[in-house]
Amino acid sequence: MSRIEPKLFVVSGPSGAGKGTLVALARKRRPSLGLTVSATTRKPREGEVDGVSYFFLSPEEFKRRVDANEFVEWAHVHGNCYGTPVSEVRRNLQAGSSLILEIDVQGALQVKEKFPEAILIFIKPPSLAVLEQRLSGRGTETPASLAIRLENARGELALADRYDEVLVNDDLETACSGLLRIIDTYERN
Ligand code: 5GP
């Protein structure tokens, strides 16, 4: 039987590509996959829980943690700060299973620099038009934040070729099978 080694996977792609839903489904199918809780200065959306969805921090507290080197990576995304706490990565690695970071492209490239063995997976929407429909459909964005996210999406899509794997999220089930297949392949090599 081939050996299975825990790996660090980084999933990113434009806002609205469906990364969150996709990663949540992959974890449901494979509960042993670790997922880190990020910190952000963004205000909680309805239903989001501190310490579960994110650690919601004030800009001052976020900066204090940046200065204290408490993040593996951090970035300004859509006007707020987001970062992966070192403590979250440690907690998951101690559990001995593969780990997924669901972060933006700037953060993903920082992780790859620090951990070249990390596997970067880019989640692409079928098209920019579909991305726009999904973003406006979820009703969480103001016209201004929708415009920022679409503008950022163009820049992010241009970075897809720096990733180890690119997965198009058209149909959720198909994309989830694709993601789990990628994870299996890397864990066995
Ligand atoms: P949202 O505000 O919609 O929850 O997330 C906005 C963006 O921030 C998403 O693209 C998400 O992947 C990214 N993000 C979430 N957590 C982190 C993190 O810890 N680091 C970085 N660099 N980006 C993150």
Side-chain angles (χ1 to χ4, degrees):
M1 228 173 78
S2 46
R3 239 174 90 215
I4 294 183
E5 272 194 44
K7 294 274 157 70
L8 174 60
F9 296 95
V10 180
V11 168
S12 45
S15 178
K19 307 171 296 255
T21 316
L22 181 57
V23 169
L25 183 62
R27 262 203 100 213
K28 214 160 144 192
R29 301 268 147 84
R30 189 80 59 81
S32 63
L33 278 173
L35 193 62
T36 54
V37 179
S38 295
T40 182
T41 58
R42 162 165 87 55
K43 296 273 174 284
R45 295 185 186 127
E46 207 174 306
E48 287 186 327
V49 178
D50 189 31
V52 178
S53 322
Y54 281 105
F55 296 105
F56 294 101
L57 305 180
S58 66
E60 296 72 27
E61 177 57 18
F62 194 95
K63 183 175 182 310
R64 191 197 66 72
R65 295 191 191 190
V66 169
D67 294 342
N69 273 325
E70 289 185 22
F71 293 120
V72 175
E73 60 70 39
W74 73 276
H76 289 283
V77 188
H78 315 313
N80 286 296
C81 296
Y82 294 80
T84 308
V86 173
S87 55
E88 279 295 294
V89 174
R90 276 212 193 102
R91 176 176 69 77
N92 277 283
L93 289 178
Q94 275 162 4
S97 47
S98 289
L99 163 68
I100 302 188
L101 305 186
E102 192 233 299
I103 61 180
D104 91 304
V105 289
Q106 309 165 70
L109 299 175
Q110 288 177 48
V111 171
K112 188 76 174 178
E113 254 174 44
K114 275 194 193 158
F115 305 102
E117 69 283 11
I119 299 115
L120 303 194
I121 306 169
F122 192 91
I123 311 297
K124 235 181 174 172
S127 67
L128 273 174
V130 169
L131 189 75
E132 184 167 3
Q133 269 169 23
R134 286 184 187 165
L135 278 174
S136 44
R138 72 186 188 187
T140 52
E141 307 310 318
T142 61
S145 75
L146 179 66
I148 294 178
R149 281 170 191 248
L150 281 175
E151 181 54 36
N152 291 345
R154 289 194 178 86
E156 286 163 358
L157 286 166
L159 293 170
D161 60 358
R162 309 223 350 225
Y163 279 62
D164 299 298
E165 302 287 339
V166 177
L167 193 61
V168 176
N169 184 14
D170 192 353
D171 170 69
L172 181 60
E173 283 295 336
T174 311
C176 182
S177 307
L179 180 57
L180 291 174
R181 209 173 311 121
I182 291 172
I183 291 173
D184 285 343
T185 305
Y186 281 91
E187 281 182 334
R188 287 189 163 77
N189 283 303

